[in-house]
Structures are given as structure tokens and as C-alpha cells.
Amino acid sequence: MDLSTDVQLDLHRRMVRIRLFEEAAGRLAESNRLPGFLHLYVGEEAVAAGVCGALNDDDHITSTHRGHGHLVAKGGDFNRMMAELMGKATGYCKGKGGSMHFFAPDKYYWGGHGIVGGQTPLGLGLAYGLKYQGLKGCALCFMGDGAVNQGAYHESLNLAALWKLPVVYIIENNKYSMGTTIDRSSAMRNCLAGRADGYGIVWDIANGEDLYEVRAKAANAMRRAHEQSLPTVLEIDTYRYYGHSVADANAKKYRSADEIERYKTYHDPIRLWKKRLIEEGVTTEAEMDAMDETIKQEANDSAEFAIQSENPAPESIFEDVY
């Protein structure tokens, strides 16, 4: 509750930028203009906005195949992001990464990774590098609830605890992994984060539709990393409105349409935050609507920028090869 008006409005801006960018990307996919996969983040915006809103300039993040929202929340450029989605030369990775493999070193954003759980040792490595070189900051590693069953995640927790590394693992629990309910895929006592007990790592859970709670608990975890060089596992309860990807033909079969509508109506993070800020007298509905319209235009313009951008030259396939 100590957040300034500017910060409160900035959190709203981050969430709306994520949603409108994703919706614009979704429209490109529906019109068959976007090659490859697309995993939309719509519904989960408070997680990325709340966590990234607490970051310092020295903090690093690594992400998942559903990573656009994290880069948007970190300040990613709409034009370069949309161009990358379309495989254009003006994209963040010159059109070679696509949706699942964004990289933005200038934002300390180290991917976008298509392998489930594959980013967990990379988040660990970022934290190791910071500590080894005596640099400021911590590493945040986003993952979905399906990633916690991968061996690489558990190996990472072991080393994070053993070497006391400044890493925060963020479990975005949207309850379905690809399309399997959590109770059918993950053995646990009360929550997924509780598995950290086995490694002596502090853990916590947060309500992913309450932006104040997400930001506060993320800030606590980062403070532990910054000041004590200790890891944390933070599980955030959230929900995605669309399928696992735009190619998920079963999106409304493993969960009901009523369930999806209930979340949109009663648990939408943007709607709840907007209502809260108006009730607290921070802003007015008209001011927020004006902000939203500006961002919508930015998202639409980025789609047009991507459409008009050039494809990579064939010979560029030999560039940037390690």
C-alpha cells in the first residue's frame, strides 16, 4: 500500500500492454500470417507485471515458451517483438528465434525457451554468474506448473541451495500444463512450491489475481536474493484463457466453457486492478480507458510494422552461428 500513484498506474500499463500485444499477435495467427507456434499469455498478466514491476535494473530473467508477457513487462519493444513473431529481419533475433525464443540482452532478458524446464538450469547459471563475478542483482526464472516435474528443475534447486545462489524460481500455476489437470500430473502435499522443503529452500505462494500480493511477495524473494544471496521458490496461482497454444484443438475439452467464462468474469486481473484503483481514488475510468486506447494503437501499429518488415536475407542463415 506504500506504492506511489505512478507505480500503481505503471502496473496497470504493464498488464494492458501484455494483453493487447498478445491479442494483436493472436489476430495475426488467425489470419495465417504468423509462422510457427504461439502460446498466448492472456489471463496471466498480473504475474509478469507484479514480478517484473519489482525488479531492479541489475536483475535478469529467463522465461518459457509462453514468454512474451515477461519481455513486455520488462520493457520489450513491441515492433521488434512482433517482427520476431513473424520471422522478420527487424525482430529481436533477426527473425531466427520466433515466438518461443525471444532474447533481449539489452533488457537482461535471456529467452524464451521451448524445452519445458530447460530454462531452469539457465536461471541457475545466471545467478551463479552474478555471484561469481561479484555483480549486483538476482536472476528470476519463470516456469509453468508442468516444468516442476522435470529433473533439471530439481537438480537446479539442489545447486541453488548448496551454493546459496541469488535465484528466484517463479512457478506460474495455470492448473493445466499443456492440457492435463494438476491433480493428474503432479504429486504434492499442498502446493508445488512446497517441494522446495526437500532442499531447505524458502518458498511461498501468491494469489495471481491480486497484483499487490504478487508484487509484495516477489519483492520479498528478490530482497532475500539481493541481501542474503539465497534462493526462493514462489508459486503464483493464475489462469490462461486460451489453449496451450493457438494449435490446441482441445482447449475447451479438458476444461469447460463455463469455467473459462467464470475466470474472465470474476478473476480477470486487469478488471480487478482497474476496479481497485478507481475505488482507491488513484485514477478515473476515463483516464484508464485513454491509456488503454493508446496502447491498443501501439499494438496494432506493431503488427503493421511486422507485416511491412523485410524477411531475412537467405545468406544471413550463416550469421550469428556459435
Side-chain angles (χ1 to χ4, degrees):
M1 297 302 292
D2 293 331
L3 299 181
S4 68
T5 297
D6 286 345
V7 171
Q8 289 170 309
L9 291 175
D10 178 65
L11 290 171
H12 175 75
R13 184 180 296 106
R14 290 178 197 242
M15 286 199 295
V16 173
R17 289 188 85 241
I18 294 170
R19 178 158 301 181
L20 295 180
F21 176 87
E22 295 289 77
E23 289 179 346
R27 289 192 293 272
L28 285 177
E30 288 173 1
S31 64
N32 294 320
R33 285 178 161 175
L34 197 154
F37 291 98
L38 180 69
H39 303 80
L40 296 175
Y41 197 76
V42 178
E44 303 185 26
E45 293 88 354
V47 180
V51 171
C52 292
L55 290 169
N56 293 333
D57 292 339
D58 302 311
D59 297 325
H60 301 247
I61 65 175
T62 186
S63 181
T64 71
H65 50 265
R66 198 182 308 282
H68 316 148
H70 306 133
L71 180 52
V72 171
K74 197 80 162 61
D77 179 81
F78 271 15
N79 285 350
R80 297 180 69 188
M81 291 181 67
M82 200 68 80
E84 188 60 39
L85 287 179
M86 292 194 69
K88 298 299 184 72
T90 51
Y92 264 110
C93 299
K94 305 177 186 178
K96 300 177 183 180
S99 170
M100 293 190 285
H101 307 103
F102 281 3
F103 271 73
D106 61 315
K107 300 297 182 184
Y108 284 1
Y109 177 90
W110 306 103
H113 298 277
I115 302 299
V116 174
Q119 74 279 13
T120 54
L122 301 179
L124 179 84
L126 286 168
Y128 182 86
L130 290 170
K131 184 170 184 177
Y132 183 78
Q133 296 179 67
L135 300 175
K136 293 180 179 179
C138 68
L140 274 79
C141 180
F142 289 93
M143 73 188 83
D145 49 285
V148 299
N149 296 324
Q150 298 297 316
Y153 169 61
H154 293 271
E155 294 175 56
S156 299
L157 291 187
N158 180 60
L159 292 178
L162 198 63
W163 294 339
K164 295 181 173 57
L165 297 181
V167 59
V168 180
Y169 285 104
I170 309 289
I171 303 170
E172 296 183 283
N173 185 356
N174 62 29
K175 305 171 184 62
Y176 285 99
S177 300
M178 282 186 69
T180 305
T181 56
I182 191 170
D183 59 309
R184 293 183 61 211
S185 63
S186 298
M188 57 182 167
R189 184 170 288 115
N190 295 306
C191 64
L192 296 172
R195 293 180 179 183
D197 273 337
Y199 302 95
I201 293 176
V202 173
W203 59 270
D204 202 352
I205 55 175
N207 177 1
E209 65 190 54
D210 185 335
L211 198 44
Y212 279 131
E213 183 175 330
V214 171
R215 193 185 187 284
K217 293 197 171 186
N220 285 341
M222 290 178 217
R223 193 176 302 112
R224 187 175 298 110
H226 290 150
E227 298 176 2
Q228 302 176 57
S229 188
L230 290 175
T232 304
V233 174
L234 177 60
E235 178 182 347
I236 304 178
D237 187 63
T238 187
Y239 194 82
R240 57 173 162 82
Y241 294 169
Y242 296 107
H244 173 66
S245 77
V246 293
D248 185 357
N250 296 313
K252 294 184 179 179
K253 293 182 179 179
Y254 53 77
R255 54 186 186 167
S256 68
D258 287 345
E259 177 184 298
I260 299 170
E261 282 306 309
R262 185 172 70 252
Y263 271 91
K264 288 182 178 180
T265 303
Y266 300 108
H267 303 280
D268 183 81
I270 296 177
R271 182 181 296 179
L272 292 173
W273 185 246
K274 186 175 183 177
K275 180 175 181 287
R276 199 162 186 173
L277 293 189
I278 292 171
E279 289 176 348
E280 292 174 8
V282 174
T283 186
T284 65
E285 187 163 4
E287 290 173 336
M288 298 185 93
D289 288 345
M291 181 195 299
D292 296 355
E293 282 300 315
T294 300
I295 296 170
K296 181 184 290 187
Q297 188 61 52
E298 181 187 0
N300 292 337
D301 288 347
S302 71
E304 187 60 31
F305 171 84
I307 291 169
Q308 299 300 328
S309 290
E310 296 291 328
N311 290 315
E315 58 270 21
S316 70
I317 196 171
F318 297 108
E319 298 170 0
D320 308 307
V321 177
Y322 176 72

